[in-house]
Amino acid sequence: MVPLNRVADQKTINVALAAEWQALSDEERRPFLELATKEREQYQIELKAYEKTEHYRDFLEKKERILRLRKQRRRMGAADSQDDDFDESLDLNETTFVEGTKKRVKNGIRRNKRKASGSDESGVLEYNKKREAKLRAIRHEIGVAEAEKAAMQRTIEKMQAKNLAYEAQAAHDRKIAKEADHIIECWMRVLRGAMGETMKEYNLTTPEETVAFLTRLADGDAPNEDVLQSVKDVIRSASFLLPK
């Protein structure tokens, strides 16, 4: 026999007994099996006699009532684990039992709501933190974009101011060029009147050619004193308006 520790739990005891039983031979097991058969037969005889007693009928009624109460608890939403809250050996009053079950169910719902509320609140706080972080990042990006936009706007304004200045200068230059062209045209008309035949003779068709010819006359390189004097006289008396 394997010695058993009196303070061992039931599982340890069962394992030890099973090991001892497995170690027995068929001959060693026979007395125990015969005893078990006799006791089983005796149990069946006593059970049939017990089932005819008033006590057994009371037991069946109580069992049926407990099962009915359990079904009611489940229909009212009580968890299966709450079935252990009452002692089945007690003579229960159904009304008291039902009211108690309703109360426990309500309390359970409240606890679940509080847990869910706490969990939801934590989730909401975490969500808000992430959302605020995203909003801060977006606001930062918007600030950077607005600063870049302002800098670009200033650059555009400077370029526009320069363009206006260039356009004003170009308009002034066009005006001066127009005045210069007018003066040149006026002088060409004067010179044609003073030296028309000479211009044809020397094929002077442009202002540049005419100026070069007059320069040679002034330097004495062209032998035509009459033309030079005629030009000088016309120049002294010439007058014409400039374009506005």
Side-chain angles (χ1 to χ4, degrees):
M1 297 290 290
V2 178
L4 298 177
N5 188 343
R6 291 185 178 181
V7 297
D9 56 28
Q10 188 62 44
K11 181 179 179 181
T12 303
I13 294 173
N14 291 340
V15 171
L17 291 175
E20 289 188 7
W21 178 258
Q22 293 295 330
L24 295 177
S25 64
D26 293 341
E27 289 297 327
E28 291 173 329
R29 292 181 184 181
R30 183 175 292 110
F32 298 102
L33 294 174
E34 291 176 354
L35 179 60
T37 301
K38 290 180 181 180
E39 290 186 352
R40 189 178 300 109
E41 293 174 352
Q42 183 63 30
Y43 167 76
Q44 293 296 332
I45 294 172
E46 293 178 358
L47 177 60
K48 290 179 180 180
Y50 172 70
E51 289 175 349
K52 297 177 182 180
T53 63
E54 187 70 23
H55 188 274
Y56 179 71
R57 286 192 293 271
D58 292 340
F59 165 75
L60 291 179
E61 290 177 0
K62 185 176 180 181
K63 179 180 178 181
E64 182 180 355
R65 184 165 32 152
I66 289 174
L67 293 176
R68 184 171 63 254
L69 293 175
R70 284 190 172 184
K71 289 181 181 179
Q72 290 180 358
R73 286 166 61 84
R74 293 191 182 97
R75 284 197 298 269
M76 288 185 292
D80 292 339
S81 60
Q82 292 178 340
D83 288 341
D84 298 332
D85 293 344
F86 65 92
D87 186 354
E88 295 180 356
S89 64
L90 298 177
D91 186 10
L92 299 175
N93 179 279
E94 291 192 27
T95 302
T96 304
F97 176 79
V98 171
E99 293 300 325
T101 299
K102 289 181 179 179
K103 184 176 180 181
R104 283 191 291 272
V105 170
K106 289 181 180 178
N107 291 336
I109 292 174
R110 292 194 190 98
R111 286 194 298 271
N112 291 336
K113 284 185 177 179
R114 285 196 295 270
K115 291 180 180 178
S117 176
S119 177
D120 292 344
E121 184 177 354
S122 176
V124 169
L125 290 175
E126 184 65 24
Y127 171 78
N128 287 339
K129 288 181 180 179
K130 292 180 179 179
R131 184 178 178 84
E132 288 177 0
K134 289 182 179 179
L135 289 175
R136 284 195 296 270
I138 292 173
R139 284 195 290 267
H140 175 72
E141 292 177 359
I142 291 174
V144 172
E146 289 179 346
E148 292 177 351
K149 179 182 177 181
M152 186 176 295
Q153 184 65 33
R154 289 192 297 271
T155 302
I156 291 173
E157 291 174 355
K158 289 180 181 179
M159 293 176 66
Q160 289 175 342
K162 288 183 178 180
N163 287 336
L164 291 175
Y166 291 153
E167 289 177 358
Q169 184 64 39
H172 177 72
D173 293 343
R174 286 193 296 270
K175 181 180 179 181
I176 297 299
K178 185 177 181 180
E179 292 176 354
D181 291 340
H182 178 72
I183 292 172
I184 291 172
E185 181 61 28
C186 290
W187 280 115
M188 288 298 294
R189 286 198 300 268
V190 170
L191 293 174
R192 288 191 194 99
M195 47 184 292
E197 295 299 327
T198 303
M199 292 180 71
K200 291 179 180 179
E201 180 182 354
Y202 288 94
N203 194 24
L204 304 176
T205 59
T206 65
E208 290 80 4
E209 293 173 347
T210 303
V211 171
F213 177 75
L214 292 174
T215 301
R216 289 199 303 273
L217 285 178
D219 293 339
D221 295 336
N224 198 332
E225 294 294 334
D226 295 337
V227 173
L228 180 60
Q229 187 60 42
S230 177
V231 169
K232 289 180 179 180
D233 294 340
V234 171
I235 290 174
R236 290 191 189 99
S237 61
S239 65
F240 37 82
L241 298 175
L242 295 176
K244 295 182 180 180

